[in-house]
Amino acid sequence: MRELQYDAVVVGAGPAGSIAARTLAGKGVKTLVLDKRQEIGTPKRCAEAINGRGLRRVGLEPDPRWAVQKINGSVLYAPGGKALKLVFDDRLGYILERKIFEKYLAADAINLGAKYMVKTLATGVIKEDGRVVGVEADFMGEEYRIMSRLVIAADGVDSMIAKSAGLKTVNSLSDYHSGFQYEMAGLKIDGENLLHIFFGDDNAPKGYVWIFPKGNGVGNVGIGILGKLSAPGRKAQFYLDRFIESRPEIFSGASPIEVNSGGIPVGSAVECLVADGLMLVGDAAHQVNPIHGGGISMAMHAAKIAGEVGAKALSEGDVSRERLFEYDTLWRAGDGVKAQKLLKLRSFMEKLDSTDLDTLADILESDEITRIVEGDYGLMAKKIIRKAPSILPLAKKFLI
Ligand SMILES: Cc1cc2nc3c(=O)[nH]c(=O)nc-3n(C[C@H](O)[C@H](O)[C@H](O)COP(=O)(O)OP(=O)(O)OC[C@H]3O[C@@H](n4cnc5c(N)ncnc54)[C@H](O)[C@@H]3O)c2cc1C
């Protein structure tokens, strides 16, 4: 057994882990990052979309090496086929090449002094008197005991670090989306600078199908459906394959060049983001936008806050739950509030059938949808009262 000593250990070198490490190392904290993957960024489990604000608020400027496709709007396709185009105006988005992006983030952290170990599986936390004081890990059969005053769990949706520390992180199945995706080449898609999103229970029960173009006919084609609806034989892949077969105009000349799948925590963030000596960030903390399942932006922003609070707590010599709770408070006052509000919209949308969705597509203008997704539920309610009273009881229950 090899013994190591660090001020902070970050488990997971996804976007959350590397931003936490960059923040800590940038403040002079002796930081180690562990990742079980042999190559950071690979395999990706992601459709790779992010908005520009999500990059800039953690101090990243879009770089053509990893921000491979500019996105300036989206097209929402209602079940009956009506297409609503939303223009992002000044809020440009990007499709990332995550395999490069994640390595870039790791290099940033390493340049500031962080150390990384890849192909290294964290097997559990080390506890003393109920406090987390380190991590046990395995690097290619060699066991490590890594003592650390602060542990950051950035180990994704199934966070074993949180579980091994005794935190409750599992939500009900209705709070998970089951995601399945092909990266495909040879797509014939009109508008490579737009996100294409298809609704309707035939396409994706209580979820949606996406085509996120990466340029040159390449794109991520995927589906997210409510986990509890993926009955045997009717899993996310079943619906996606059926969608692809039904649209030869897009897919007849296309082939997959990669396949990805994974769970997406679309419920509330975990009850408490900290414990003595421990902080949870990103998917490990279920910090995901409940409406579209996007988590990169929230994960990175939460990790930046956690890194800043963690560095201060270390310098004060106090990594108690009470001291680290500042991170919980700051996060909940920002993205946390937004996520809770969007959760209501998600609950409402999930109760709508395809006919209701077609009705909404008929009564709402594109700019109104943008305002609703930003939280203007009053506008939605007014439209429903005037033009779609049959949906009013549901709107009252979930939105008003
Ligand atoms: C199909 C699909 C499509 C998606 N599309 C989008 C999208 O378009 N836009 C968007 O914003 N979000 C998307 N998401 C969500 C997004 O991928 C996550 O929210 C984001 O990756 C969270 O980052 P993270 O760093 O918290 O976790 P992760 O990216 O999951 O990173 C966790 C890291 O921890 C490592 N790890 C796990 N356990 C251990 C262990 N025991 N020891 C050592 N290392 C460990 C893993 O190897 C991994 O590198 C999608 C998710 C799925 C499944």
Side-chain angles (χ1 to χ4, degrees):
M1 167 100 58
R2 290 191 59 181
E3 300 248 354
L4 299 175
Q5 178 86 48
Y6 279 84
D7 293 332
V9 170
V10 179
V11 180
S18 283
I19 291 290
R22 184 190 78 173
T23 310
L24 288 161
K27 295 189 180 297
V29 176
K30 190 181 169 203
T31 305
L32 176 68
V33 182
L34 311 175
D35 202 291
K36 65 182 179 183
R37 293 181 289 179
Q38 66 182 37
E39 182 180 359
I40 289 173
T42 304
K44 74 171 184 203
R45 278 190 189 156
C46 190
E48 305 179 297
I50 190 164
N51 61 36
R53 179 171 170 265
L55 295 171
R56 277 186 288 275
R57 68 181 179 158
V58 294
L60 294 169
E61 274 307 313
D63 179 326
R65 282 175 294 173
W66 44 257
V68 291
Q69 176 68 45
K70 281 188 185 150
I71 296 293
N72 56 25
S74 60
V75 189
L76 309 183
Y77 300 87
K82 182 169 180 184
L84 286 164
K85 188 171 169 188
L86 276 54
V87 178
F88 290 170
D89 298 328
D90 54 333
R91 292 168 304 123
L92 204 61
Y94 299 88
I95 302 298
L96 302 170
E97 189 57 71
R98 257 188 84 157
K99 290 167 190 164
I100 300 175
F101 180 62
E102 286 190 30
K103 287 199 181 97
Y104 176 97
L105 295 183
D108 246 12
I110 291 166
N111 288 338
L112 288 168
K115 298 283 178 214
Y116 274 60
M117 288 174 69
V118 289
K119 213 171 167 57
T120 303
L121 176 75
T123 50
V125 296
I126 304 167
K127 274 184 154 184
E128 274 172 17
D129 301 328
R131 312 168 67 85
V132 174
V133 293
V135 169
E136 285 181 328
D138 180 303
F139 169 65
M140 297 175 65
E142 193 173 5
E143 287 178 22
Y144 279 75
R145 192 175 155 81
I146 307 163
M147 303 310 290
S148 166
R149 290 194 286 149
L150 178 65
V151 173
I152 297 201
D155 53 338
V157 58
D158 301 319
S159 181
M160 78 76 79
I161 290 297
K163 273 179 224 143
S164 106
L167 294 183
K168 181 186 168 291
T169 60
V170 181
N171 280 341
S172 78
L173 255 190
S174 51
D175 281 327
Y176 287 94
H177 266 186
S178 171
F180 185 86
Q181 173 179 273
Y182 300 109
E183 182 167 337
M184 300 183 89
L187 297 170
K188 286 191 206 76
I189 188 90
D190 203 11
E192 285 206 315
N193 54 353
L194 296 167
L195 304 177
H196 299 266
I197 298 172
F198 301 81
F199 293 94
D201 281 347
D202 281 350
N203 292 327
K206 311 304 174 202
Y208 64 90
V209 169
W210 63 80
I211 304 176
F212 291 177
K214 295 177 81 170
N216 195 28
V218 174
N220 291 318
V221 180
I223 185 169
I225 61 172
L226 207 55
K228 69 176 182 187
L229 294 178
S230 46
R234 293 217 150 202
K235 294 189 188 308
Q237 183 190 357
F238 164 87
Y239 289 101
L240 184 61
D241 288 345
R242 197 170 72 174
F243 176 86
I244 289 171
E245 267 168 39
S246 70
R247 284 173 171 76
E249 69 281 12
I250 302 173
F251 296 106
S252 62
S255 279
I257 52 175
E258 185 171 331
V259 60
N260 323 110
S261 61
I264 309 169
V266 288
S268 302
V270 299
E271 244 169 66
C272 180
L273 304 176
V274 294
D276 287 325
L278 180 71
M279 302 168 108
L280 309 188
V281 292
D283 273 16
H286 298 183
Q287 290 162 323
V288 167
N289 180 315
I291 268 294
H292 54 58
I296 310 170
S297 168
M298 272 201 202
M300 294 197 301
H301 192 237
K304 181 170 178 280
I305 302 171
E308 286 165 356
V309 172
K312 271 194 278 167
L314 283 165
S315 72
E316 292 161 13
D318 178 6
V319 289
S320 64
R321 178 183 186 278
E322 290 68 32
R323 176 65 189 90
L324 299 179
F325 201 76
E326 183 187 342
Y327 155 57
D328 190 297
T329 308
L330 289 173
W331 184 77
R332 279 184 214 281
D335 278 0
V337 173
K338 188 178 163 201
Q340 274 310 113
K341 191 156 190 192
L342 286 173
L343 202 52
K344 289 186 180 178
L345 186 58
R346 194 201 111 205
S347 306
F348 169 67
M349 297 283 294
E350 276 175 12
K351 297 291 174 297
L352 303 179
D353 60 22
S354 292
T355 313
D356 298 329
L357 289 171
D358 281 331
T359 305
L360 284 182
D362 283 337
I363 67 169
L364 293 171
E365 304 296 329
S366 301
D367 62 314
E368 292 172 335
I369 295 177
T370 307
R371 282 171 55 195
I372 289 163
V373 174
E374 280 164 4
D376 189 349
Y377 300 164
L379 169 69
M380 169 97 108
K382 271 186 217 148
K383 280 278 186 159
I384 288 174
I385 290 168
R386 286 209 332 264
K387 298 193 165 176
S390 63
I391 308 176
L392 189 57
L394 280 176
K396 270 189 178 158
K397 184 165 175 198
F398 292 101
L399 293 178
I400 302 172

